[in-house]
Amino acid sequence: MVHYIARTALFATFFMLAKFNLYALEYPFTATVSGKGSPVILIPGYTCGGAVWDSTVAELRTLHQCHVLNIRGFGGVAPAAKDFSLRDVKDGIKAYIKDNKLKNVIVAGHSMGGFLAMWTGAEMKKPELAGVIVVDAVPFISLIGDSTAVEHAIDTASARKMEELMKAQTYEMRKFYGKPMASYYCLDSTYHPLIAEWSAVSDPHTSASLIMEMAATDLRDEIAAIEVPVLVLCAWEPGYNVPMESIRSAWSKQYAAVKNLQFHMVPGSRHFIMYDAPETFYRELNTFMAQTVPGKK
């Protein structure tokens, strides 16, 4: 009897550990949940921590349950034990929604997180999903710099070279190089140190491999399958030295296949719209979510 109890306890412990490890493998991200109401999943952008959504959560949490993701390897979050891809993150978000039995979810993402949001939206239906919000991201980023770009295999050689270059830099060097990048992507200088810090502490392997996968992946056909409403916010300000209508035209073409699209330019902001134009940003989010989530109209 004693042996039976001991063996049962051993199996139970093994099962619990196996389950814990399985979930760790299933989700290439951690999640922090706060607030009450209809659920919204908030995905940070390239190298950013989930804290990029802190002010957004403060705005939404009285009406929404906010699930803030931290992608492993970004923004100081410990890298995953095993390699993972953007596709794995997308599949992890789908599994997270199902495992937590979430309904009428709004999936919102900034930058690379917006890419993941639209990819998730293309593969999920109602009643799990209610809408998709994309903050300054496009289905095929390579087209921004090259109008002839086509989907291609992931350039693993360039990814390795990029990783080696990043590993050769000290934390101080990465933070130094991150500051001009932060000032290019965000007008509000109070956030530059934080954006540079996220970049400096991100894992080189994760950063190199995921950006190369994103550059190789064209979602323009996939997003035709999105059945829920989609809100796209696109940043623009004169310092870009590109006319607003040119950006509107180029980006709108990338979203041509989306059936239920709300596309809005946000003048006076750069890539981090939530920092540069918070009033416009929250107004757009609240209006879209009130229109989209059942019972919120």
Side-chain angles (χ1 to χ4, degrees), residues 55-210:
S55 56
T56 305
V57 170
E59 173 70 20
L60 300 179
R61 61 179 300 161
T62 55
L63 293 175
H64 300 280
Q65 184 186 61
C66 301
H67 298 248
V68 178
L69 307 189
N70 279 283
I71 296 175
R72 298 188 187 278
F74 282 175
V77 177
K82 295 179 64 175
D83 278 356
F84 65 91
S85 65
L86 279 177
R87 182 179 295 275
D88 293 329
V89 180
K90 176 262 297 176
D91 289 341
I93 295 168
K94 291 167 57 183
Y96 180 87
I97 292 171
K98 291 185 180 297
D99 292 344
N100 289 282
K101 298 179 173 55
L102 301 179
K103 302 294 182 186
N104 297 313
V105 180
I106 298 285
V107 180
H110 170 238
S111 186
M112 180 179 280
F115 182 84
L116 286 164
M118 67 181 91
W119 203 355
T120 303
E123 298 185 7
M124 295 201 79
K125 312 292 183 189
K126 295 179 179 178
E128 283 86 2
L129 207 61
V132 173
I133 298 174
V134 178
V135 184
D136 217 44
V138 289
F140 190 27
I141 193 173
S142 290
L143 275 180
I144 292 178
D146 179 4
S147 61
T148 65
V150 295
E151 188 168 50
H152 54 275
I154 299 172
D155 188 345
T156 54
S158 294
R160 281 195 298 271
K161 186 174 181 180
M162 181 178 176
E163 179 181 342
E164 290 168 2
L165 288 172
M166 295 171 77
K167 284 181 175 177
Q169 297 172 347
T170 64
Y171 162 79
E172 288 76 15
M173 292 168 68
R174 288 191 210 165
K175 193 161 185 180
F176 176 80
Y177 294 134
K179 288 179 180 176
M181 178 192 70
S183 64
Y184 180 78
Y185 287 116
C186 182
L187 292 172
D188 190 336
S189 60
T190 60
Y191 290 102
H192 293 175
L194 179 60
I195 296 170
E197 174 71 14
W198 282 329
S199 177
V201 297
S202 287
D203 174 54
H205 179 69
T206 305
S207 301
S209 60
L210 295 194

Side-chain angles (χ1 to χ4, degrees), residues 17 23 32 35 47 55 81-82 99 119 132 207 225-227 250 273:
L17 290 172
Y23 273 79
T32 303
T47 73
S55 56
K82 295 179 64 175
D99 292 344
W119 203 355
V132 173
S207 301
I226 301 177
E227 295 182 349
I273 298 175

